[in-house]
Amino acid sequence: MINSAIIKKEIKENFFVMKGSLWLFIVALLFSVIALCFVSIQDLSMLAQSDIITTFSKLVIVIGCLITIILAATSFSNEKEQNTLESLLLTTVSKHEIAIGKLISIILMWLAVFILSIPYIIALGEGSSVSVSIIRSVFITGTLIVVIVALIATTLSIILLSSKNAIVTSIILFIIVAVPGFLPKAVIKSSAGSLLGYLSPLSSAFNILKSVATQNVNTSIATTGFYIAILVWVLIGTFIMNYGIKKIEIRGE
Amino acid sequence: MIKAENLTKIYENGFKAVNNLDLSIDKGDIFGFLGPNGSGKTTTIRMLNGLYKPTSGKIFINGIDLSKDPTEVKKIIGVLPELHGYYRWMTGEEYLMYFGRLYKQNEKELKNHVRELIESVGLSEKSHFKIGNFSTGMKQRLGIAKTLINNPKIIFLDEPTLGLDPSGQREIQKLILDLNKKRNVTVFITSHLLKDIEVLCNKVAIFQNGVMLEQGGIKELLNKYSNDSGKVTIEDIFFRLTERNLEVV
C-alpha cells in the first residue's frame, strides 16, 4: 500500500517545487513575530499565559491546515493539468498507493510546521507546567485535523477539474468548518454552540487545547468527547477519500 | 500479441466512440492505426492498455485477459500517450529513475537500464538537464525511453511525432524501427503522417467514427486497391475509404 518512490517524489515536489521550504521559512518568521507581539505588546502580555499558549497553538494548527489545503487540493489536479496522471496510472502502481504516497508527503509538511512551533510554545509557556502537555496535544489534535483536511482536499483535487477549483472549494469548506471555533464565548456556552463545538473538528481541537492549557487535564470526559468527535471526522474523511480514489481516472467524452 | 473482439465503447453521454472493433496484431508487428481526428483512436488505445473499461467486448494482451488481470498486462506494455506530460523540474535521468522505481525495479539494475535507455534515444549529453529545458523532440525521445523502462513486449505510441519538425519525425521513426528490430517489441502506433506509416508499419487499420473500414498487411492493401492508372499509396487508400464513408454517413 506504500510506495516509497511516490513519497520521495512528492516530498521533493512539495518542499522544493511547490516552494514548501520557502513557506516554512515564512511560517517561522510569522511565529517569531506573533511570539514577539505576545511578550512585547502591553495589552497582549497582560493575557493569562494559558490564553497566550492556546491562541498560539490554535494558530499553529490553522497554518498547518492552510498549507495542507494548498498541497492536497493541487495533488491530483496538478497531475491532470500537467498530463502526467495518465502515465502514472499506466504503471503497476495502484490508485491507493498513489493517493497514500501523496497523503504521507502532505502530512510530513504539517510535521515540519509542528516541529518549527515547538520552541515558540516552550518559550511562551515558560514557567508553567503545561508546555509538554500542550505540545503533545498540538501534535495529536493537529495531526488528526490535518489528516481530515488532507483527505477531503485530496478528494476534491481528484473530482474537480482544476487546481483553482479544488483550492477555492477546500478553503470555503474549511472556513465553514472553522467558524464554530471562533464563535464568541456566550454562543459557545449555549447548547447550540456546544453542539457546534462537537460538530466542527477544528472547534473540538481548539476546545481540547483550551482544556489542556487551563486545567492541565487532558484525560477529562469533555476532552475525550472532543477526541471522539475528531475521530468520527477522520472516519468520514477516510470514506470520502475512498470514494475519491475510485474516481481517479482519465476522463473521456 | 494483441487481440480485441467486438470491442465497443459508449461514453456516459451516450456517444459511441468505438463500435464492434476486432483487432489482431502478431508478435513483432508494427501496426499503424489510422483515422481522422475524433475517430476513436485514443479511446481504443486507452481500452487496450486498461485505462478505459470497454462497454462490451474482450481484450487479450499476450494471451492475458485484460479484464481479469490488468496489472499483469501493465507489466508487459509501455505507453506513450498523445498528451504526454512531464515533471518539468526533474532531469531526464531522474524522470526515468522515478518510473523505474514505480515498477519496483532493482536500484542497481535500474541505473544501468536508465543509462542504456538514455543512450539508445540519443539523450546522453542532456540527461542531467531539467526537462523544462528540453525541446519537443527531446521530450518525445524521453517519453519513448519511459515507455521502455519496464522492458515491455508491446508499446503503444499515440501520435509520437506530433509537433515535431521533419528531422525530429525522422529521428523518432528510426528509433521505432530500431526498437522493433533490436528488442523485438511489438509496436501499436497512431499517426496522421500517412507516408511515415507506410514506411514504418507492416500492418495497418483504417478507422473512422468508431468503425473499422479496413485492415491488413500494407502490401496486401496496396495490391488490393491498386488500379489500372498506376501505383496507390496508403494515403490514397485512406482518403478513398474515409471520404466514401463520410458520403455514406
Side-chain angles (χ1 to χ4, degrees), chain B residues 1-165:
Chain B
M1 206 65 178
I2 303 172
K3 201 171 166 64
E5 293 167 357
N6 302 318
L7 207 56
T8 298
K9 176 70 184 176
I10 303 169
Y11 285 109
E12 281 173 15
N13 63 6
F15 176 69
K16 194 184 258 188
V18 178
N19 189 8
N20 270 323
L21 175 72
D22 288 314
L23 277 177
S24 180
I25 299 159
D26 296 324
K27 191 179 178 185
D29 277 349
I30 303 185
F31 184 84
F33 197 53
L34 313 176
N37 284 336
S39 56
K41 299 189 298 290
T42 300
T43 302
T44 306
I45 286 196
R46 285 178 173 170
M47 282 194 284
L48 294 175
N49 56 45
L51 276 181
Y52 287 171
K53 271 189 186 161
T55 308
S56 63
K58 283 266 174 198
I59 299 167
F60 297 92
I61 305 285
N62 200 26
I64 306 165
D65 186 341
L66 180 63
S67 63
K68 287 185 181 154
D69 204 346
T71 312
E72 232 12 73
V73 168
K74 282 178 181 176
K75 283 181 189 169
I76 58 161
I77 63 167
V79 185
L80 181 70
E82 183 182 3
L83 292 172
H84 187 230
Y86 299 86
Y87 302 107
R88 295 167 58 85
W89 53 274
M90 285 185 184
T91 66
E93 191 176 339
E94 283 171 346
Y95 182 74
L96 295 178
M97 288 295 291
Y98 173 57
F99 275 93
R101 286 176 188 133
L102 292 181
Y103 285 99
K104 299 188 173 83
Q105 293 181 5
N106 173 284
E107 198 73 9
K108 268 189 182 173
E109 285 170 17
L110 178 62
K111 272 187 184 167
N112 291 331
H113 184 42
V114 164
R115 211 167 297 143
E116 182 210 330
L117 284 176
I118 285 172
E119 210 178 298
S120 69
V121 295
L123 286 176
S124 300
E125 286 170 20
K126 307 281 171 69
S127 65
H128 295 285
F129 285 24
K130 293 255 186 287
I131 299 173
N133 297 325
F134 277 23
S135 66
T136 313
M138 284 159 69
K139 280 185 195 162
Q140 277 312 71
R141 281 188 273 158
L142 181 67
I144 291 178
K146 191 223 76 185
T147 64
L148 300 169
I149 196 74
N150 56 329
N151 292 312
K153 292 179 178 170
I154 306 161
I155 57 172
F156 294 90
L157 306 172
D158 197 358
E159 302 285 355
T161 51
L162 194 73
L164 296 182
D165 59 20

Side-chain angles (χ1 to χ4, degrees), chain A:
Chain A
M1 286 295 263
I2 292 176
N3 187 303
S4 61
I6 293 182
I7 298 171
K8 280 180 197 163
K9 177 249 167 190
E10 290 296 325
I11 290 173
K12 206 171 170 188
E13 196 163 21
N14 288 347
F15 276 81
F16 300 108
V17 184
M18 296 285 288
K19 309 274 188 286
S21 43
L22 179 68
W23 293 359
L24 290 177
F25 177 72
I26 294 168
V27 166
L29 268 181
L30 188 70
F31 285 167
S32 302
V33 170
I34 289 165
L36 193 68
C37 289
F38 275 127
V39 291
S40 61
I41 296 173
Q42 206 179 7
D43 289 348
L44 289 176
S45 62
M46 299 294 280
L47 287 171
Q49 199 173 24
S50 60
D51 284 341
I52 291 175
I53 294 180
T54 311
T55 307
F56 188 81
S57 306
K58 285 179 181 179
L59 187 82
V60 172
I61 294 178
V62 169
I63 288 174
C65 287
L66 290 176
I67 291 177
T68 301
I69 285 175
I70 293 168
L71 294 178
T74 53
S75 58
F76 277 93
S77 46
N78 261 1
E79 299 267 9
K80 281 186 265 182
E81 285 166 1
Q82 295 176 142
N83 292 317
T84 47
L85 185 62
E86 188 166 350
S87 291
L88 206 52
L89 294 177
L90 286 164
T91 65
T92 47
V93 178
S94 72
K95 291 176 182 177
H96 274 89
E97 280 177 298
I98 300 170
I100 289 169
K102 284 179 181 288
L103 280 174
I104 290 174
S105 69
I106 292 163
I107 290 161
L108 284 176
M109 188 61 113
W110 147 252
L111 289 179
V113 172
F114 165 71
I115 290 165
L116 273 180
S117 75
I118 293 174
Y120 297 93
I121 295 174
I122 292 171
L124 291 171
E126 199 188 356
S128 75
S129 55
V130 296
S131 289
V132 174
S133 48
I134 201 92
I135 287 171
R136 193 172 55 223
S137 299
V138 170
F139 172 69
I140 298 169
T141 55
T143 306
L144 291 172
I145 296 297
V146 161
V147 167
I148 297 166
V149 171
L151 289 167
I152 294 170
T154 305
T155 308
L156 289 171
S157 179
I158 294 167
I159 294 167
L160 298 176
L161 291 174
S162 73
S163 298
K164 203 169 92 181
N165 280 349
I167 291 175
V168 170
T169 314
S170 301
I171 289 176
I172 291 170
L173 283 177
F174 179 71
I175 291 170
I176 293 169
V177 170
V179 163
F182 297 96
L183 290 174
K185 277 181 186 171
V187 180
I188 293 169
K189 281 178 183 168
S190 68
S191 53
S194 169
L195 179 68
L196 278 176
Y198 281 100
L199 286 178
S200 155
L202 200 66
S203 178
S204 297
F206 288 175
N207 285 325
I208 291 169
L209 293 175
K210 199 173 179 187
S211 138
V212 173
T214 51
Q215 300 159 24
N216 198 13
V217 177
N218 42 6
T219 50
S220 69
I221 295 168
T223 311
T224 310
F226 288 125
Y227 271 119
I228 291 169
I230 294 174
L231 287 172
V232 168
W233 271 99
V234 173
L235 273 179
I236 294 170
T238 310
F239 278 119
I240 292 172
M241 180 78 194
N242 214 26
Y243 165 78
I245 288 172
K246 286 177 193 156
K247 295 278 169 191
I248 301 174
E249 61 192 6
I250 302 297
R251 287 181 195 177
E253 288 288 320

Side-chain angles (χ1 to χ4, degrees), chain B residues 171-184:
Chain B
E171 276 178 32
I172 298 294
Q173 273 180 31
K174 196 173 164 291
L175 194 60
I176 294 166
L177 283 171
D178 276 358
L179 289 173
N180 179 252
K181 279 182 189 158
K182 291 178 186 166
R183 293 172 186 258
N184 199 24

